[in-house]
């Protein structure tokens, strides 16, 4: 029996910043951002969206009458949690009308949270093949105005269903992981912006990738020759390129070309959205599915990295039922219909923060189905405009 990713949907708001504008405003060469960092645009998240609404707007595309009652768990990966006690997953249960006999859990380990969800879901569905698990990766990446990390901001959500006989990716059972207490990137509870040791975090990412890649090969006897493509956690797309280059000499010349071409396919969407922390690897996987010419049976390697730090290398093969047509069209329409912000508008939206008292938010600039309408009695108020 094959188990893996059956559906993979994405949501981010329409508003975005062009990074040439950011480069000019910050007195940097545009090519530093476009080539040196590998980003062109970044999603700008309004105050009326949080991890819960981003997730609901993504998940509503893959939860419907045909699978709603099969969903046994919601595993919500995020480092942008909205409550120190309640999980973001339990809000989704209500917003998506999920059944009552369900587990709803939030998972946190920086950008690794959604991968923990995928792996736990894989194990669960192996024991309960008639069930599905809804896995979420939803975050808002914030470093602050005028910081080196600013160019790597972004946000959004991926939602995946993990099931038996999946239509996208059959997950392999073998997986290699590593954890170590490292201060490369962190966000104390009192801060809305992350703290990061930028260069150090890049080095730790590469060290973890090399360690788990080696461990995976020892476990499986597979080598780079067994892979058609790799998808990486992409905090900015140059980071994935650096990781790929670290192992590329292991491949022959023809395969190097194929891996590089597929890497380009895997960063098309991330380049235009920016970092979405724990969802980034899966947005990149979606980008690979939609923009590369993949065939059933081909093996994909996935590297997940969460600062602090945890890394995992795992793999899967393209499903016989694979079809990227509908998703590709959705992304084309989405990118065509986005709304570019000026620097002043971006700074204004970025600086808007939720107060710690009751408030009613102006929803007129947000066309999403699920929105945060305010705070009442210290409770976030969510609205579903689809009903
Ligand atoms: N044309 C082309 N390239 C140029 C250029 C130009 N005109 N000017 C500069 N560059 C290149 C530089 O040579 C450099 O390339 P390399 O990395 O290949 O050496 C690149 O552009 C970036 O330049 P700098 O190193 O000078 O950039 P910076 O000091 O301003 O900061 C950063 C870069 C450290 C990535 C910073 O943006 C940052 O801190 N980002 C957030 C942290 C992060 O994303 N870390 C990733 C690992 S941690 C993780 O993965 C978890 C997570 O999601 C956060």
């Amino acid at each position: 029996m094959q188990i893996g990713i059956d559906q993979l949907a994405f949501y981010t708001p329409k508003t975005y910043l062009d990074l040439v504008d950011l480069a000019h405003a910050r007195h940097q060469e545009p090519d530093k951002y476009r080539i040196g960092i590998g980003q062109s645009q970044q999603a700008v998240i309004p105050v009326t969206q949080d991890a819960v609404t981003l997730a609901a707007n993504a998940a509503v595309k893959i939860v419907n009458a045909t699978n709603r009652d099969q969903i046994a768990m919601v595993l919500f990966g995020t480092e942008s949690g909205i409550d120190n006690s309640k999980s973001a997953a339990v809000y989704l249960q209500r917003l998506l009308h999920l059944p009552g006999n369900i587990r709803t859990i939030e998972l946190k380990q920086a950008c690794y949270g959604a991968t923990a969800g995928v792996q736990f879901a894989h194990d669960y569905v192996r024991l309960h093949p008639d069930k599905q698990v809804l896995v979420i990766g939803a975050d808002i990446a914030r470093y602050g105005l005028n910081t080196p990390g600013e160019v790597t901001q972004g946000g959004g959500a991926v939602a995946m269903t993990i099931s038996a006989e999946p239509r996208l990716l059959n997950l392999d059972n073998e997986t290699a992981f590593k954890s170590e207490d490292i201060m490369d990137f962190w966000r104390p509870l009192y801060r809305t912006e992350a703290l990061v040791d930028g260069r150090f975090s890049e080095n730790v990412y590469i060290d973890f990738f090399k360690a788990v890649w080696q461990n995976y090969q020892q476990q499986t006897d597979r080598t780079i020759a067994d892979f058609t493509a790799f998808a990486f956690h992409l905090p900015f797309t140059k980071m994935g390129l650096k990781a790929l280059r670290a192992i590329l000499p292991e491949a022959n010349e023809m395969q190097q070309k194929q891996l590089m071409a597929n890497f380009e396919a895997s960063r098309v969407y991330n380049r235009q959205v920016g970092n979405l922390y724990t969802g980034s690897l899966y947005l990149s996987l979606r980008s690979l599915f939609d923009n590369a010419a993949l065939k059933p049976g081909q093996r994909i390697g996935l590297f997940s990295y969460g600062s602090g730090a945890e890394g995992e290398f795992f793999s899967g093969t393209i499903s016989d039922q694979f079809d990227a047509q509908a998703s590709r069209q959705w992304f084309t329409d989405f990118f065509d219909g986005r709304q570019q912000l000026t620097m002043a508008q971006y700074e204004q939206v970025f600086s808007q923060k939720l107060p710690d008292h009751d408030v009613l938010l102006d929803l007129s600039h947000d066309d999403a189905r699920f929105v945060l309408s305010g705070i009442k009695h210290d409770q976030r108020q969510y609205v579903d405009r689809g009903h």
Side-chain angles (χ1 to χ4, degrees), residues 28-38 79 110-112 141 143 147-153 184-185 194-206 233-236 238-239 242 245 275-278 280 303 305-308:
Q28 300 287 334
E29 287 282 322
D31 278 354
K32 173 176 173 181
Y33 291 175
R34 276 196 306 238
I35 299 165
I37 297 285
E79 53 184 296
C111 308
Y112 173 80
Y143 293 92
T147 60
E150 184 178 25
V151 65
T152 67
Q153 294 176 154
D184 62 330
F185 168 106
L195 295 166
V196 62
D197 188 340
R199 270 287 167 194
F200 179 53
S201 70
E202 293 186 63
N203 294 338
V204 181
Y205 178 116
I206 297 291
H233 165 54
L234 294 180
F236 52 96
K238 176 78 167 289
M239 190 70 243
K242 289 183 184 188
R245 282 180 179 157
N275 199 354
L276 48 146
Y277 289 161
T278 192
S280 290
F303 176 60
Y305 176 74
S307 289

Side-chain angles (χ1 to χ4, degrees), residues 249-275:
E250 296 169 27
N252 67 32
E253 206 176 314
M254 207 174 77
Q255 203 205 354
Q256 288 193 16
K257 281 197 184 123
Q258 182 193 42
L259 291 173
M260 283 300 292
N262 284 340
F263 175 74
E264 289 305 324
S266 80
R267 65 167 164 172
V268 173
Y269 297 161
N270 302 64
R271 183 183 262 290
Q272 298 170 80
V273 172
N275 199 354

Side-chain angles (χ1 to χ4, degrees), residues 293-309:
L294 298 173
K295 295 195 188 80
Q298 289 181 327
R299 179 163 275 108
I300 311 291
L302 296 96
F303 176 60
S304 180
Y305 176 74
S307 289

Side-chain angles (χ1 to χ4, degrees), residues 102-124:
I102 194 169
R103 291 179 177 138
T104 49
I105 315 291
E106 187 171 310
L107 301 164
K108 178 175 68 184
Q109 176 33 57
C111 308
Y112 173 80
T115 297
V118 167
Q119 296 298 347
F120 298 159
H122 184 190
D123 294 348
Y124 180 83

Side-chain angles (χ1 to χ4, degrees), residues 74-355:
V74 182
L75 298 178
F76 196 126
T78 186
E79 53 184 296
S80 315
I82 56 145
D83 193 289
N84 286 327
S85 177
K86 265 183 88 151
S87 86
V90 79
Y91 293 96
L92 279 195
Q93 181 201 18
R94 175 171 58 82
L95 293 173
L96 300 175
H97 308 286
L98 293 169
N101 54 339
I102 194 169
R103 291 179 177 138
T104 49
I105 315 291
E106 187 171 310
L107 301 164
K108 178 175 68 184
Q109 176 33 57
C111 308
Y112 173 80
T115 297
V118 167
Q119 296 298 347
F120 298 159
H122 184 190
D123 294 348
Y124 180 83
V125 175
R126 188 161 296 289
L127 274 181
H128 306 279
D130 56 329
K131 297 292 184 192
Q132 297 192 7
V133 178
L134 176 63
V135 177
I136 303 290
D139 276 305
I140 303 170
R142 292 172 62 90
Y143 293 92
L145 303 176
N146 272 302
T147 60
E150 184 178 25
V151 65
T152 67
Q153 294 176 154
V158 294
M160 295 174 271
T161 45
I162 308 298
S163 76
E165 308 311 338
R167 284 169 283 178
L168 290 176
L169 192 72
N170 305 312
L171 288 169
D172 294 322
N173 288 337
E174 305 85 2
T175 170
F177 40 85
K178 170 183 164 70
S179 294
E180 193 179 330
D181 182 0
I182 292 177
M183 293 306 282
D184 62 330
F185 168 106
W186 66 106
R187 184 165 68 83
L189 289 177
Y190 49 82
R191 287 185 64 101
T192 52
E193 278 90 41
L195 295 166
V196 62
D197 188 340
R199 270 287 167 194
F200 179 53
S201 70
E202 293 186 63
N203 294 338
V204 181
Y205 178 116
I206 297 291
D207 289 347
F208 270 56
F209 172 54
K210 285 188 191 161
V212 292
W213 167 236
Q214 200 173 18
N215 181 307
Y216 173 90
Q217 290 179 94
Q218 282 160 358
Q219 279 185 55
T220 59
D221 285 336
R222 292 183 193 125
T223 69
I224 200 165
D226 294 296
F227 289 88
T228 299
F230 293 92
F232 295 94
H233 165 54
L234 294 180
F236 52 96
T237 74
K238 176 78 167 289
M239 190 70 243
L241 184 59
K242 289 183 184 188
L244 180 59
R245 282 180 179 157
I247 61 164
L248 211 52
E250 296 169 27
N252 67 32
E253 206 176 314
M254 207 174 77
Q255 203 205 354
Q256 288 193 16
K257 281 197 184 123
Q258 182 193 42
L259 291 173
M260 283 300 292
N262 284 340
F263 175 74
E264 289 305 324
S266 80
R267 65 167 164 172
V268 173
Y269 297 161
N270 302 64
R271 183 183 262 290
Q272 298 170 80
V273 172
N275 199 354
L276 48 146
Y277 289 161
T278 192
S280 290
L281 165 62
Y282 300 96
L283 178 62
S284 175
L285 183 64
R286 184 76 262 178
S287 185
L288 177 69
F289 285 153
D290 294 3
N291 297 295
L294 298 173
K295 295 195 188 80
Q298 289 181 327
R299 179 163 275 108
I300 311 291
L302 296 96
F303 176 60
S304 180
Y305 176 74
S307 289
E310 181 153 357
E312 181 153 348
F313 185 87
F314 59 110
S315 57
T317 53
I318 300 291
S319 164
D320 290 342
Q321 305 168 63
F322 177 75
D323 178 10
Q325 194 60 41
S327 168
R328 203 179 294 131
Q329 189 57 52
W330 184 87
F331 275 94
T332 304
D333 295 345
F334 170 72
F335 287 123
D336 284 351
R338 282 169 114 192
Q339 183 198 340
Q340 184 176 347
L341 300 184
T342 62
M343 272 305 291
Q345 288 169 326
Y346 149 69
E347 293 197 348
Q348 193 256 331
V349 174
F350 186 89
S351 304
Q352 240 188 324
K353 284 187 184 146
L354 271 185

